[in-house]
Amino acid sequence: MRVPLSWLREYVDVPASATPEDVLAAFVSVGFEEEEVIRFELSGPVVVGTVLSFDAEPQSNGKTIRWCQVDVGEAEPRGIVCGAGNFEVGDKVVVSLPGAVLPGPFPISARKTYGHVSDGMIASARELGLGDEHNGILRLVELGLDPEPGTNAIELLGLDDVAVDVNVTPDRGYAMSIRGLAREYGHATGAAYRDPAFAVTPQPASGFPVVVDDQAPIRGRNGVTEFVTRAVRGVDPTRPTPPWMIARLSLAGIRSISLLVDITNYVMLELGGPIHGYDLNKLTGGITVRRATAGETLETLDGQVRKLDAQDLLITDESGPIGLAGVMGGAATEIGDATTDVLIEAAVFDTVSIARTARRHKLPSEASRRFERGVDPLLPAASAQRVVDLMVELAGGTADELGGRLGATFAPEPIALPSGFVQGIVGVDYTPERIAETLTIIGGTVTETAEGWSVTAPSWRPDLTDKWTLAEEVARIDGLDAIPSVLPTPPSGRGLTAAQQGRRRVANALAAAGFVETPSFPFISQEQNDLHGSASGESLPSVRLANALDGQTPFLRRSLVPALLQTAHRNVSRGHTDLALFEVGTVFLPEPGVTYGTDTIPPGAARPDEATLAALNASIPPQPRHLALLLTGAVAPKQPGRDAEAAGLEVALDAVRVIAVAAGVDIEVSQSQRAALHPGRTGVLTVGDTEVGYVGELVPAVAADADLPGRVTVAELDLDAILALAGERVTVASLSTFPAATQDVSLLVDAALPAGALRAALVEGAGDLLEGVRLVDDYRGQGVPEGSKSLTFALRFRAPDRTLTAAEATEAKLAGVALATERHGATLRE
């Protein structure tokens, strides 16, 4: 809302020394955000001049100029070239002298043109920034002005005024007016405030028929609650708008159209209640306020023919629709140059109805912005009378007794404000007297009760609905800067949960290992979900969003891998080909046959009960946190004397080991198969008997579909399951100072047996002396029977209290071989 300071000073005592920045600071102190300072973009000398004489001089280009002698209050007249022809000798005009700067910026200087030295410029209204019309020179007699030559025209026309712009939040519609912001300035500074609505005495009027016939109210609320009409006859629509009004409207962001329309806009800005004027002679019968019917259309003031909706609230007469209520009037009854009699409408419309109509027709207006936020229900009579008074004063009209008023009695509900409530909410020790004083200052009626106070909000404050909003008002008016900034002391012993610590530990370990975390959105296509599935490889349904952001990705992901593929593609396309990426995020794993989602959303003003919370929890699918990683390109670049080291499956397995150590579990890898992964280079990851994920290389065709060149290795793990299996099993043991004993063992087994299964048998059979085991060879050539393979493991034994003998190490190794033979039929290879 733009507020011209001269206008503001009419209703509140703003010190003459106050700068626009001082006024903005006052508004900020009561909760209004400052935007900017607006000034007319011109500077003097701009003065009043009298045309003493002129010579008309036709030019070769067909144009006729006037060489004028103009008295500007100096010893000698100035010679000025002018191309306009709408003025006569003796007219008072506005002259921009050399050194002036007009809006544009357009600097004025003495210059030679058309054979003369023009010592200034005679200005039009548009050149001064007083409007868009450019019908010739601005003649002051048309504005009813007769100043002396040399008078400062900037002050005369109100062009020295300045406005401040403040951001009005949607709940404070009363502040979309000079009336409301003058009151707020008074709250902020204690300056005396004079309510302009109280300065108007509405006169009785009757005889004009108005009917409200709302057959389809929205949310059970009538579309109009107050409707006032007044008539003014014998107006002169050709009279010019006074320059002070044009200046104020311009600073407020509204262009001057005509005197009658300007008056309605002026009163809207002044009091906050939108006004509409009809050409009374174009109306057919009385007015009916109703909803639109099927097939109806309306040509609005912007020249557009609009197809109406059944929820649109209309102003109609016997001829049909003549306006979109609260949004824009119709062209059929528009005020024009031939208008002599005006019907004035001031009303209060339902906020929701007006907001929906404005958005439906993409037709925001100054009126709809105010109706959407709420208009003072006691204002229409005063607003209509104010328009009548200005039209009588400025347009030469006569107030008529024709008019009428419909509306319900305004009876707001009192709000109970308990003692101590404000102090407890805000955290400031307000005295009871200060609370009552503050609520009285804003216009409320405060009555003391046994429990505290009963507060009736003023008519212009529909946002004050409960004790919480009253507490906010007390804090705002008393000063938000008085609220102490105190950080609460956290209770001891509460930090990150064990699961949070585990996730952070794993993510930090991967980052330290050279991986880069790349969070992504959880939205995905059905094809990607079907291809990559879940980390366990199960076939699960997908959860579809009811209101997806992107129609091509309407499902919630079951895997993190597709997002990593998109991230990798984006990086590769920009020249980053060596990638080690990971993401920790939620996936959505619905259970087969279960329908998710709910149409019942509990109200936000109260905490749901346990049954409601249980129903809400049951309406969403399980959302475990997974961890996925992706490798492509080289893990070590090519260097002199050394080839590049490709990021393959072995690097991904090292990353899995890093995750296992950080999580505090032992993760085993066994050969497996999985859709989208290479059948010979895929492994299932287990912790004990629980499957927690997979690792493998993408099938080349899948990598090519993702526009990724070369080999791509991925892994995905159920991080929540891993951390749950870790539990409290993280132990710290002292390092043994005794040397290790190493031995190798080669075992012949069936070719289909996973190496991980054989390794597990060796570990279990060897017992506690076995410190580590590593697969070093997988041989399937000459000397090995068909359908078999030879797996060689390097075993490392160590005792915590002694140096092992070779016999002890051999005994432990053979115990592991025995269990492998029992379980898998393994035999020692000679």
Side-chain angles (χ1 to χ4, degrees):
M1 174 69 188
R2 295 181 173 187
V3 188
L5 295 192
S6 66
W7 207 351
L8 186 69
R9 286 188 168 97
E10 288 189 11
Y11 306 119
V12 67
D13 293 340
V14 180
S17 59
T19 66
E21 289 72 20
D22 294 335
V23 175
L24 282 173
F27 285 129
V28 169
S29 70
V30 287
F32 292 92
E33 182 181 353
E34 66 175 276
E35 295 289 345
E36 59 178 331
V37 176
I38 300 99
R39 294 180 171 87
F40 285 102
E41 299 177 356
L42 81 167
S43 59
V46 179
V47 300
V48 174
T50 302
V51 179
L52 301 178
S53 65
F54 61 80
D55 296 321
E57 300 179 356
Q59 304 298 310
S60 59
N61 60 3
K63 182 178 181 180
T64 298
I65 62 99
R66 289 179 173 184
W67 169 239
C68 307
Q69 299 299 312
V70 184
D71 177 11
V72 294
E74 299 173 341
E76 298 292 334
R78 293 193 180 229
I80 299 175
V81 173
C82 184
N86 67 316
F87 60 91
E88 303 295 337
V89 172
D91 277 347
K92 299 288 181 67
V93 295
V94 177
V95 180
S96 302
L97 299 179
V101 178
L102 299 185
F106 180 49
I108 305 299
S109 62
R111 62 189 184 94
K112 186 172 183 179
T113 179
Y114 295 106
H116 304 281
V117 176
S118 184
D119 199 14
M121 186 184 80
I122 303 176
S124 68
R126 187 171 69 176
E127 289 165 340
L128 294 171
L130 281 174
D132 296 331
E133 298 299 326
H134 192 54
N135 297 325
I137 293 306
L138 176 64
R139 301 170 63 233
L140 297 180
V141 66
E142 295 177 348
L143 303 180
L145 302 174
D146 187 23
E148 292 295 321
T151 301
N152 187 332
I154 293 179
E155 295 180 1
L156 178 71
L157 300 176
L159 300 177
D160 58 341
D161 201 359
V162 61
V164 296
D165 191 6
V166 295
N167 183 20
V168 178
T169 53
D171 62 329
R172 300 192 184 277
Y174 68 93
M176 296 286 288
S177 65
I178 303 298
R179 178 198 186 200
L181 287 176
R183 180 184 287 109
E184 290 298 328
Y185 183 86
H187 295 339
T189 63
Y193 167 69
R194 300 168 291 280
D195 194 329
F198 293 170
V200 178
T201 303
Q203 299 300 314
S206 61
F208 187 83
V210 176
V211 176
V212 176
D213 183 22
D214 189 356
Q215 298 295 324
I218 297 177
R219 301 188 306 172
R221 297 171 59 177
N222 206 332
V224 59
T225 56
E226 185 80 8
F227 200 93
V228 173
T229 55
R230 291 293 304 277
V232 181
R233 298 187 185 274
V235 297
D236 182 359
T238 64
R239 286 194 182 185
T241 302
W244 56 266
M245 183 177 286
I246 295 176
R248 286 181 174 180
L249 290 174
S250 178
L251 283 175
I254 295 181
R255 66 182 180 90
S256 174
I257 298 174
S258 66
L259 176 59
L260 300 179
V261 175
D262 289 349
I263 288 174
T264 60
N265 286 334
Y266 184 85
V267 174
M268 175 185 68
L269 293 175
E270 183 176 67
L271 300 182
I275 302 290
H276 186 69
Y278 303 90
D279 188 324
L280 184 57
N281 297 320
K282 295 179 181 179
L283 287 172
T284 305
I287 283 179
T288 299
V289 183
R290 61 171 174 81
R291 300 288 172 178
T293 57
E296 281 191 303
T297 60
L298 170 66
E299 182 182 355
T300 47
L301 290 175
D302 58 359
Q304 299 292 318
V305 177
R306 303 182 183 277
K307 184 178 180 180
L308 301 177
D309 185 89
Q311 286 194 343
D312 289 336
L313 190 67
L314 302 180
I315 308 297
T316 68
D317 64 3
E318 293 179 3
S319 66
I322 59 173
L324 274 175
V327 179
M328 185 173 286
T333 56
E334 179 181 7
I335 293 175
D337 293 339
T339 299
T340 57
D341 302 331
V342 178
L343 181 72
I344 299 161
E345 168 210 304
V348 176
F349 298 108
D350 177 55
T351 57
V352 174
S353 178
I354 300 306
R356 290 182 179 179
T357 297
R359 285 157 178 74
R360 184 181 301 116
H361 294 283
K362 297 181 175 61
L363 193 61
S365 63
E366 292 292 336
S368 67
R369 291 188 185 97
R370 286 162 173 79
F371 283 125
E372 289 173 12
R373 290 163 169 79
V375 172
D376 184 349
L378 301 183
L379 189 62
S383 297
Q385 184 64 48
R386 176 66 167 150
V387 173
V388 169
D389 295 343
L390 286 174
M391 286 188 177
V392 170
E393 176 187 353
L394 302 177
T398 302
D400 196 279
E401 295 182 356
L402 182 67
R405 178 175 181 177
L406 289 178
T409 303
F410 176 70
E413 289 290 331
I415 303 169
L417 182 63
S419 299
F421 178 78
V422 176
Q423 297 90 327
I425 287 291
V426 180
V428 176
D429 190 17
Y430 301 112
T431 64
E433 294 75 18
R434 179 55 179 164
I435 293 175
E437 177 190 11
T438 300
L439 296 177
T440 303
I441 286 174
I442 66 171
T445 302
V446 182
T447 304
E448 190 171 353
T449 65
E451 294 78 20
W453 298 272
S454 175
V455 182
T456 303
S459 60
W460 56 84
R461 294 299 303 272
D463 58 304
L464 300 180
T465 57
D466 48 41
K467 58 185 178 181
W468 288 275
T469 53
L470 292 178
E472 180 185 359
E473 269 313 278
V474 173
R476 187 177 70 89
I477 299 302
D478 188 74
L480 298 174
D481 55 345
I483 301 175
S485 178
V486 179
L487 291 176
T489 302
S492 60
R494 294 194 181 184
L496 298 178
T497 65
Q500 290 171 332
Q501 291 175 349
R503 290 194 294 269
R504 182 170 297 187
R505 192 166 57 246
V506 169
N508 289 342
L510 277 179
F515 285 76
V516 177
E517 187 172 9
T518 57
S520 63
F521 290 114
F523 313 122
I524 199 171
S525 68
Q526 181 67 60
E527 293 75 17
Q528 290 172 316
N529 255 348
D530 290 340
L531 179 61
H532 296 281
S534 65
S536 63
E538 298 177 0
S539 177
L540 296 173
S542 298
V543 177
R544 187 185 185 97
L545 295 172
N547 188 19
L549 293 177
D550 185 349
Q552 295 182 345
T553 57
F555 293 93
L556 293 174
R557 64 189 178 191
R558 299 202 306 262
S559 170
L560 302 180
V561 171
L564 288 180
L565 292 175
Q566 293 176 355
T567 302
H569 165 65
R570 191 178 303 114
N571 280 269
V572 169
S573 68
R574 288 160 175 77
H576 302 290
T577 57
D578 300 331
L579 301 173
L581 311 175
F582 81 97
E583 178 179 358
V584 176
T586 55
V587 296
F588 304 84
L589 306 179
E591 298 177 359
V594 179
T595 301
Y596 295 99
T598 178
D599 295 330
T600 303
I601 303 298
R607 188 182 189 279
D609 56 27
E610 295 302 324
T612 302
L613 288 175
L616 289 173
N617 288 330
S619 70
I620 57 177
Q623 302 175 34
R625 284 183 174 85
H626 281 199
L627 182 152
L629 55 89
L630 180 145
L631 291 156
T632 187
V635 69
K638 183 178 181 180
Q639 302 177 37
R642 178 180 175 182
D643 292 335
E645 182 181 344
L649 187 58
E650 65 281 2
V651 180
L653 290 172
D654 286 340
V656 170
R657 296 185 186 100
V658 168
I659 295 169
V661 171
V665 297
D666 293 328
I667 297 180
E668 301 291 337
V669 184
S670 303
Q671 194 169 24
S672 179
Q673 292 188 4
R674 184 182 176 86
L677 296 184
H678 196 290
R681 299 173 182 173
T682 301
V684 62
L685 305 176
T686 57
V687 176
D689 296 331
T690 304
E691 182 178 323
V692 295
Y694 65 89
V695 62
E697 293 182 4
L698 286 182
V699 174
V702 175
D705 288 342
D707 294 326
L708 296 177
R711 183 177 297 178
V712 180
T713 306
V714 298
E716 183 166 8
L717 302 92
D718 187 336
L719 189 54
D720 282 352
I722 291 173
L723 295 174
L725 290 169
E728 301 296 331
R729 295 192 293 118
V730 178
T731 59
V732 178
S734 59
L735 296 177
S736 174
T737 60
F738 295 94
T742 60
Q743 293 193 19
D744 292 346
V745 62
S746 296
L747 299 174
L748 287 173
V749 294
D750 188 91
L753 179 68
L758 186 60
R759 178 183 181 277
L762 286 173
V763 170
E764 183 179 345
D768 295 337
L769 292 180
L770 181 63
E771 183 181 75
V773 56
R774 180 166 54 90
L775 178 67
V776 296
D777 188 39
D778 182 340
Y779 178 69
R780 311 188 190 200
Q782 185 177 358
V784 174
E786 184 72 22
S788 299
K789 60 183 177 182
S790 172
L791 299 180
T792 301
F793 293 90
L795 310 177
R796 184 174 67 251
F797 300 92
R798 193 192 308 264
D801 56 350
R802 67 188 187 281
T803 299
L804 289 177
T805 64
E808 289 177 311
T810 300
E811 182 181 356
K813 177 185 74 173
L814 293 177
V817 171
L819 185 58
T821 301
E822 178 183 341
R823 287 185 177 176
H824 306 297
T827 58
L828 281 172
R829 182 187 175 198
E830 299 298 336

